[in-house]
Structures are given as structure tokens and as C-alpha cells.
Amino acid sequence: MATVTRENIGLLHDKVVVKLEKEDYMPSFEKSLKHYAKSVNMPGFRKGMVPAGMVRKMYGPALFNEEVMRAAGTEIEKYMQEEKLAIFAQPMVMADAAPLQLDMNNPSETEFSFEIGLKPEFDVKAVNGKEKLTRKKIVVSDTMLDDELVRIQRRLGQSEPQEKVFDKENIIYSKFEQCDAEGNLVEGVEAIEDTELMAKLPAKLQDMIMGKKPEDTFIISPKEICTEEELPIFLKDSMKLDEAAADNHYKMTLTKVAQLIPMEMGEELYKKVFPSSEIADETAFRNTLRAELSKEFDRMSNEQLQNDIYELLVHKTEMDLPVDFLKRWMREGGEKPKTAQEVELEFPKFDHQLRWTLISDKLLQDLEINVTEDEVKDDIRTRVLGYFGMQAAEEDTPWLDDYMAKATKDEKTMDETYRRLLYDKLFNELITKFKVNDEELTEEEFMKQQQQHVHDHDHEHAHAH
């Protein structure tokens, strides 16, 4: 009769010893041996007719080890269920356990030692309605709106060919061919095509091509025509080459010069930007655009607020963790082993994420938040229609039914959508548990604060533990 005993060896860290008598594993070993004998293929014997002694001799030891380990695993599982133990990962064989001496010809009492890491009990005290948070709201200024309008007009504009380069706003179409200092082409090297706004080119090159016509050629060397700051940008963006090409010579040919003519304000532009809205004049267009920009900024504000809630809960929720067990599990429990040094480097981030997993799991349970399969399907359907600029399903959309049939069979899509909706619901509920003050900022101020926050956070992680 198997026995299981447990003793504490550290913070939330226990040793579990499973003792097996031979009666606990021999019957299942004999049974699996018989089953194996029926299915084994061996040259010279018909299937299922291999002598039992031969099967036992050849395959017995491996099957015996398997059955003894399985019996031990079953006992510890049963024990953890009875004791209602919530553990991290799986039980691990004790690091200092003596190597097992299993002998099918001499079955005897066998002892296994496992270590387990126990999940902590804790309270999320920060959701008491007293903690203060600030939601940074970006205000869509008139200047920002004007800039966005200019961007849209340029994006939808036409490029008109020009006779020569005359302005920094010209679009320069060019071809670069590797050559020597005299302009003799290097054979077997493909030409590089580029289209670039004149203002983005190195200043020296702009001076060289100003006033020039299509088909004019120049011999250039990236290092000679660029400042130190311009060189990596010119090589990467215009020439699609790495820094090793800086000293080479290239024959540059102007293939075309054009000027971007922005699209004029009017119904055609309104329709292109908002196909499903009926917009009659510029005021209505500006208002719709302002609302769209605000929507995107509200999403960013909410993301920032969610992140603040996440950090606040992780830092203000006191809980113990079985650090020694978790570090060993990180070293040995993954697909490939890690060194102690790798674990020390990765542990602060792992610890942070693990605390959030425990906190969010508890909150989802305490606040009784769940997502139904219908909600997942509705979300996928809405997103697909939104992608095609449709508000709701039209009368006849067999393609949508086909798409939904495929999507609901795709576990990854269903699971990702489920988790996103679940955490959206969690955060929407959590926001009501804090005193939230709104602070209005410009886009620049918001971005600056975000960058500072990321920098501080990385700095804090580097010095954690």
C-alpha cells in the first residue's frame, strides 16, 4: 500500500516522499508486458507470437521503469488533489535524491522524493477604492488637426513629372550603379532604384542635383557626400546597403523628377478617407477626423491607465513566492536547460509577470468575470466587418459565414480573442475600483512621459533583486 508524506523545506517549498510497495506497480507492469507482447513486431515471429520470456528480457526493464514512475506520479497527483494543494508547474524530483535502482527481477519497496512550490495566499488590498490614478488624456489641438489634414492631402496627392530639380519638395527618382572613381561600372552588380523626397537626401547631394534634369549622371561616394549623421541614414534608406559600402563609388542617374500635388479638399477626399460616412463639407470632415483621432488617443490613454493599474497591483500586493523552487524550475523545467546566470538575469521579469498572473487570476475569480463563446464570435465578426469598412452584416454575406466557420475552428484566434475580451472586462471593472483623475496633455507631452516611464521601468528592472 503506497504512502505519501510531506515536510516543509523552505518558504512555500515542500518535500513530498512517495513510498511504493511492489503490489502498487507489479500488476500494472505484468499487464503492460502482456499487452506489449501482443503488438510487438520481431523478425522470425508472427505478430503476437513472440515468446513471453524474450519480450520480458528485451523490453521488460524499460516498461518496468515506466510503470514504477507512473505509479509514483499517480500517487502524488492523488495526494495533491486530496490535500487541495495549489502548486506551481509540476513536482520535480529532488535534486539530491539518490539515483533509483530499479530491478524487475527483484521488485521491492521503492521511495521517491519530489519537491513542490506552493502558490501563496494573498489579498489584493489596492482595489479598495482609495488608491489614486491619473489618466493622461491627449487633447486634439487645431494645429494637430491641421498637420493631419496636410498629411492626408499629401498621401492622397498625385506626383507630376518635372523638367528639372527645382525645390526641396521635389520627389527624386534615381538609380545607383557601383563603379570605380572614373565611373567604370562594376560588372555583375545590380542597380539600386530609389525614390526619395529631395529634403531627405544628404545636403551635399541636394546641392549637386539642384537644377539637374532626368538622365543626368554623377559619380558619388557615400562617405564623401554625407556628414557623420547622414551616412547611416542615406546608406540604409536610399541605397539599401550596409556601412561596408560607405567607401565605394556609385554612378547615380536621375531617372525622373516629380512634384507632389496634394489632393484638394472636397467630397472626393472626404469619401476616400471615410468611405462609409456621408460628409458634405470641410467642417463636418474636420469634426469626423477629430473624433477619429480622439478615439485613437483615448485607446492610448486607456492603455497607459491599464499599465499603471498593472504596475500598482504588482507592486502593492504583498505575497511570498517559493523563489528557490521557481529558480530551479526555470533552470531545468523548460524545453532547454538554462544556466544559473541566465536565470538570475531573467528572474526579475519572470517574477513580475508571475505576480500579475496570480493577481489577475484571483481578481477574475473574485469579480466573477467571464466571456462566453458567443461574445468571442461576435467580436471576431465585428472586427472583420470593420476591416472592410462595413458597420453591420449586409443582407447577403455568404463569405462572412465561410470566414466565421473557419475562424471558430482556429483555436489560436479564438483563444487570443477570448483572452483579450477577458482582460478588457477585467480592466474596465478595475478602473471603477480606483479614484481616477483626468489630466489633459498635448501629444508631445504624452509621448515624452511614456518614454520616461519605459526608461524608469527598465532601469528599475535592471536593479531589482
Side-chain angles (χ1 to χ4, degrees):
M1 177 75 186
T3 58
V4 182
T5 53
R6 174 161 65 110
E7 63 172 294
N8 180 255
I9 54 171
L11 179 65
L12 295 169
H13 194 176
D14 286 4
K15 175 182 178 178
V16 180
V17 179
V18 179
K19 275 186 185 165
L20 297 176
E21 306 286 345
K22 66 177 184 180
E23 299 80 47
D24 295 313
Y25 57 78
M26 278 311 279
S28 57
F29 166 59
E30 297 291 357
K31 195 173 165 187
S32 72
L33 207 54
K34 276 183 190 152
H35 181 74
Y36 204 77
K38 283 179 189 167
S39 58
V40 71
N41 282 316
M42 204 181 282
F45 295 97
R46 288 212 310 279
K47 193 174 177 179
M49 302 302 281
V50 183
M54 195 180 275
V55 173
R56 189 184 184 93
K57 197 172 182 182
M58 289 182 75
Y59 303 103
L63 286 173
F64 183 74
N65 287 8
E66 217 174 89
E67 286 304 330
V68 175
M69 293 299 287
R70 187 179 294 151
T74 304
E75 288 302 329
I76 195 168
E77 281 293 325
K78 200 163 75 181
Y79 173 78
M80 289 193 303
Q81 277 177 351
E82 284 166 2
E83 295 289 310
K84 295 186 170 57
L85 298 183
I87 69 161
F88 287 112
Q90 309 91 348
M92 296 180 79
V93 174
M94 286 293 290
D96 57 1
L100 286 170
Q101 304 292 327
L102 296 176
D103 178 4
M104 69 172 183
N105 298 315
N106 185 21
S108 57
E109 185 186 272
T110 311
E111 189 173 292
F112 293 86
S113 299
F114 296 95
E115 61 177 305
I116 56 173
L118 298 156
K119 288 186 179 176
E121 287 188 4
F122 59 92
D123 289 318
V124 188
K125 291 177 182 162
V127 290
N128 58 7
K130 291 176 186 166
E131 292 283 349
K132 291 186 179 126
L133 286 170
T134 304
R135 178 175 17 217
K136 315 281 174 56
K137 289 184 83 76
I138 305 170
V139 184
V140 182
S141 66
D142 290 344
T143 314
M144 193 193 292
L145 197 60
D146 292 341
D147 290 348
E148 185 61 23
L149 285 169
V150 169
R151 256 200 299 277
I152 289 169
Q153 285 178 280
R154 288 179 68 84
R155 195 182 75 231
L156 298 175
Q158 299 287 325
S159 68
E160 285 188 2
Q162 306 295 312
E163 284 179 22
K164 63 177 185 178
V165 183
F166 66 89
D167 185 70
K168 285 197 175 220
E169 290 295 301
N170 285 165
I171 302 163
I172 308 296
Y173 296 78
S174 47
K175 178 171 74 171
F176 299 96
E177 296 168 286
Q178 197 177 340
C179 63
D180 61 17
E182 279 72 52
N184 302 305
L185 296 184
V186 175
E187 282 188 26
V189 180
E190 276 190 40
I192 299 154
E193 305 276 350
D194 179 49
T195 306
E196 201 75 79
L197 194 65
M198 171 80 155
K200 296 271 176 76
L201 292 170
K204 249 188 195 176
L205 186 57
Q206 289 185 37
D207 292 342
M208 284 171 74
I209 63 176
M210 187 61 88
K212 299 293 188 284
K213 310 183 299 300
E215 299 310 320
D216 283 352
T217 63
F218 321 85
I219 294 165
I220 63 160
S221 171
K223 207 168 195 174
E224 287 169 16
I225 60 158
C226 294
T227 63
E228 218 172 302
E229 290 81 45
E230 289 170 346
L231 186 61
I233 300 163
F234 178 61
L235 282 169
K236 182 172 170 280
D237 295 353
S238 294
M239 304 199 72
K240 289 87 177 162
L241 295 169
D242 57 30
E243 295 196 14
D247 290 311
N248 295 346
H249 284 83
Y250 294 90
K251 179 183 172 187
M252 176 183 176
T253 308
L254 276 185
T255 52
K256 182 178 161 189
V257 179
Q259 181 71 356
L260 183 68
I261 311 296
M263 191 175 190
E264 286 192 10
M265 281 289 169
E267 281 190 38
E268 193 186 344
L269 181 132
Y270 312 150
K271 200 75 190 153
K272 274 196 167 165
V273 181
F274 299 114
S276 49
S277 303
E278 294 296 326
I279 296 170
D281 56 31
E282 193 175 332
T283 308
F285 180 66
R286 286 177 76 92
N287 290 340
T288 310
L289 188 59
R290 191 186 288 272
E292 281 303 310
L293 288 174
S294 295
K295 222 185 276 179
E296 177 57 18
F297 288 143
D298 285 348
R299 188 191 61 73
M300 286 161 70
S301 294
N302 280 328
E303 253 179 31
Q304 168 262 323
L305 185 61
Q306 286 185 8
N307 195 54
D308 288 352
I309 290 173
Y310 162 83
E311 292 295 342
L312 178 85
L313 292 179
V314 168
H315 289 288
K316 289 214 170 184
T317 304
E318 289 175 20
M319 70 166 77
D320 294 320
L321 290 174
V323 174
D324 293 342
F325 173 84
L326 291 169
K327 284 183 177 177
R328 184 185 168 206
W329 183 76
M330 281 178 78
R331 281 198 312 274
E332 302 169 25
E335 281 179 27
K336 59 176 194 214
K338 288 186 163 114
T339 64
Q341 197 180 0
E342 284 175 318
V343 169
E344 288 307 318
L345 272 174
E346 291 171 24
F347 192 76
K349 197 173 178 185
F350 171 81
D351 173 278
H352 204 74
Q353 189 57 50
L354 182 61
R355 286 169 188 271
W356 169 246
T357 302
L358 293 167
I359 292 165
S360 57
D361 283 352
K362 180 174 169 59
L363 289 169
L364 287 166
Q365 201 174 347
D366 291 354
L367 299 168
E368 296 179 357
I369 290 169
N370 50 51
V371 171
T372 65
E373 194 179 336
D374 282 347
E375 285 176 302
V376 173
K377 287 178 182 173
D378 286 348
D379 184 81
I380 294 171
R381 188 180 288 110
T382 306
R383 279 174 171 260
V384 176
L385 289 169
Y387 181 75
F388 292 108
M390 297 154 75
Q391 296 302 312
E394 313 286 327
E395 285 304 304
D396 186 29
T397 48
W399 62 269
L400 183 62
D401 298 336
D402 291 346
Y403 180 89
M404 287 306 297
K406 278 199 194 91
T408 49
K409 283 195 183 79
D410 180 0
E411 277 181 36
K412 190 167 177 274
T413 304
M414 292 291 281
D415 186 54
E416 281 174 3
T417 308
Y418 168 79
R419 294 188 70 75
R420 181 171 45 75
L421 293 176
L422 192 66
Y423 284 97
D424 282 353
K425 279 190 180 185
L426 174 62
F427 278 111
N428 287 340
E429 183 64 31
L430 283 176
I431 286 168
T432 66
K433 310 280 183 195
F434 297 95
K435 288 181 174 168
V436 179
N437 296 315
D438 285 343
E439 179 191 337
E440 295 193 340
L441 298 170
T442 64
E443 188 183 11
E444 289 75 23
E445 287 168 335
F446 181 85
M447 292 306 177
K448 210 170 173 183
Q449 286 193 11
Q450 291 295 90
Q451 282 164 349
Q452 187 58 42
H453 177 80
V454 169
H455 175 266
D456 292 346
H457 193 58
D458 287 347
H459 198 66
E460 174 195 313
H461 266 307
H463 288 83
H465 306 268

